[in-house]
Amino acid sequence: MTWADRVSPLVKSIPPSGIRRFFDIVAEMKGVISLGVGEPDFITPWHIRESCIHGLHRGYTAYTSNFGLLELREEIARLLARDYQVTYDPRKEVLVTVGVSEAFDLAMRAVLSPGDEVLVPEPSYVSYKACVTLAGGKPIPVPTTIDNEFRLTPALLEAYITPRTKVLVIGYPNNPTGAVMTREELVQIAAFVKKHDLIVISDEIYGRLTYEGTHTCFASLPDMRDRTILLNGFSKAYAMTGWRLGYACSNPDFIAAMTKIHQYTMLCAPITAQVAAIEALRNGEASVEKMVSEYNRRRRLMLNGFREMGLTCFEPKGAFYIFPSIKETGMDSLSFAETLLKEEKVALVPGSAFGDSGEGYVRCSYANSAANLAEALERIGRFVRKHLG
């Protein structure tokens, strides 16, 4: 018997991330323009970094409450009440986590029993299905399509509901498509949720990066607050990916259950990141608006570029990704991505990494400089023209 034979069969059954595979390849190549990384190219604003440095000088190096600093939780509750008119008790209904990824994992482990089914719209973030599986649940992919701009509808969800369905995952603005949903559309989803008595895990990490209309917080919809576990964080809007800080908000019972797991596995989020997050929430809006404006400019650049080279391209209205179809080339998404990297040194992520309904597409992040994006479009255009014959 080898050591590999002693690895959990459940862990073995989970495929490695399709995103990280390309990161590893890119790290070993020179001259590559990467459109694969899902993180801002901006540095965390100085006033946020400075608050962390000042905190270190003042000796903020200890553990915090399992829930996180109360001062931070109060700021989070204040933000949600101001921007989305949904209120939470910062003492019992807000949990600070090590990124939204930990919050999602905690939510799944807190509410799932073995065999519970979770509706996971696809294309979707690569961690969703894996976390459901690791928590003992059964992920049920719900394919969305470009025909409906990658949005959910009650009719689509009804086709996948069973007596074992317990949770619906919602992630808008969407990674990888950049799709958004209007308040009116989400109200229809809320009615479906209430009809089937579901729990909702709403990942709203890209909510602030909405370019047309305004983001709707799912928990703010009628009767959705207590049955929703709202997830958000600081990585995308505040350019704080490496700080690893997120949060979850919900009813006291769900938050208490998540905190119980959190206290045994993580204890607390780093105090330095929490101090910085307080500054971000209090004084970071101008920086956020500046970054959002720049992302929007790049979004239009990428959309026009892909359409000019003859590819069908859905217009993303949120996040910082664009999801062009490469079906016209006759290549599958993995072959397209691998060959493009080899021939033109542009890295992007095959759509198949985000579920079966992502096949025929590639995800490109426009969290890169305008100069690099323009050069990448030129290289991709040359590659597409070559393979279109």
Side-chain angles (χ1 to χ4, degrees):
M1 179 177 288
T2 66
W3 294 118
D5 294 327
R6 300 189 182 187
V7 173
S8 162
L10 180 63
V11 174
K12 284 184 178 180
S13 72
I14 298 172
S17 167
I19 298 177
R20 291 295 164 186
R21 176 174 178 270
F22 275 84
F23 289 172
D24 293 341
I25 295 173
V26 170
E28 299 176 359
M29 294 183 67
K30 295 182 178 180
V32 174
I33 298 176
S34 178
L35 307 182
V37 181
E39 70 173 336
D41 60 312
F42 299 105
I43 298 172
T44 304
W46 168 245
H47 68 98
I48 298 174
R49 287 179 282 148
E50 185 179 39
S51 69
C52 173
I53 295 169
H54 185 50
L56 287 171
H57 283 310
R58 287 183 293 168
Y60 287 169
T61 58
Y63 292 132
T64 72
S65 156
N66 295 141
F67 284 98
L69 290 172
L70 178 59
E71 190 176 0
L72 173 57
R73 287 179 278 140
E74 289 173 340
E75 290 296 335
I76 291 168
R78 191 172 293 117
L79 169 78
L80 295 172
R82 182 194 71 207
D83 290 356
Y84 305 118
Q85 294 74 56
V86 58
T87 59
Y88 293 99
D89 181 344
R91 294 182 178 273
K92 299 185 294 184
E93 297 182 320
V94 180
L95 171 64
V96 179
T97 60
V98 181
V100 175
S101 294
E102 190 213 356
F104 188 89
D105 179 49
L106 293 175
M108 288 300 166
R109 289 200 276 169
V111 303
L112 293 181
S113 297
D116 284 343
E117 294 181 356
V118 179
L119 301 180
V120 181
E122 290 188 342
S124 65
Y125 180 51
V126 296
S127 292
Y128 291 164
K129 291 196 296 184
C131 285
V132 172
T133 300
L134 288 169
K138 181 180 179 182
I140 305 298
V142 179
T144 62
T145 67
I146 195 172
D147 296 332
N148 195 39
E149 297 187 331
F150 298 107
R151 295 169 174 162
L152 283 177
T153 65
L156 176 60
L157 290 167
E158 287 285 1
Y160 295 90
I161 200 86
T162 78
R164 296 304 305 267
T165 308
K166 188 174 185 179
V167 175
L168 167 64
V169 174
I170 293 179
Y172 289 93
N174 178 264
N175 173 11
T177 65
V180 300
M181 290 186 66
T182 66
R183 183 178 182 86
E184 293 72 21
E185 291 165 339
L186 288 172
V187 165
Q188 296 179 39
I189 302 302
F192 166 86
V193 166
K194 189 173 181 180
K195 173 184 175 182
H196 293 285
D197 193 23
L198 301 180
I199 298 167
V200 174
I201 312 294
S202 186
D203 180 355
E204 302 184 21
I205 187 64
Y206 293 101
R208 194 62 184 79
L209 306 185
T210 301
Y211 308 110
E212 293 191 14
T214 57
H215 173 68
T216 296
C217 175
F218 195 83
S220 72
L221 300 176
D223 301 320
M224 290 298 111
R225 178 194 178 278
D226 286 347
R227 67 170 65 246
T228 299
I229 301 177
L230 168 63
L231 310 181
N232 211 322
F234 299 85
S235 293
K236 312 302 181 180
Y238 298 96
M240 293 177 66
T241 51
W243 299 78
R244 306 309 305 132
L245 201 71
Y247 57 86
C249 302
S250 193
N251 67 69
D253 293 322
F254 284 173
I255 291 299
M258 293 171 65
T259 303
K260 186 182 296 184
I261 303 167
H262 175 71
Q263 68 186 6
Y264 285 120
T265 58
M266 198 62 66
L267 187 65
C268 67
I271 189 172
T272 47
Q274 293 190 55
V275 169
I278 293 170
E279 171 65 19
L281 291 177
R282 288 178 177 169
N283 300 302
E285 184 59 25
S287 295
V288 172
E289 290 180 357
K290 182 178 179 181
M291 288 186 281
V292 170
S293 177
E294 177 60 19
Y295 288 140
N296 193 21
R297 184 173 77 90
R298 299 172 186 179
R299 177 182 73 98
R300 294 191 294 267
L301 171 68
M302 295 294 283
L303 179 64
N304 292 335
F306 280 119
R307 287 179 172 175
E308 287 173 2
M309 67 180 71
L311 296 181
T312 300
C313 193
F314 156 77
E315 180 180 357
K317 297 179 181 179
F320 42 52
Y321 307 108
I322 193 164
F323 204 58
S325 170
I326 47 86
K327 296 176 183 178
E328 292 91 339
T329 67
M331 305 171 72
D332 63 55
S333 61
L334 180 59
S335 297
F336 184 97
E338 290 181 335
T339 310
L340 175 66
L341 182 59
K342 179 181 178 180
E343 294 185 2
E344 295 290 349
K345 291 191 175 182
V346 175
L348 38 73
V349 183
S352 57
F354 306 97
D356 291 343
S357 58
E359 182 52 70
Y361 300 84
V362 290
R363 189 194 78 173
C364 304
S365 167
Y366 45 87
N368 207 322
S369 70
N372 280 345
L373 294 177
E375 174 62 23
L377 285 170
E378 182 175 338
R379 296 183 190 184
I380 296 170
R382 184 165 59 230
F383 177 83
V384 167
R385 289 191 296 273
K386 173 182 176 182
H387 289 277
L388 283 175

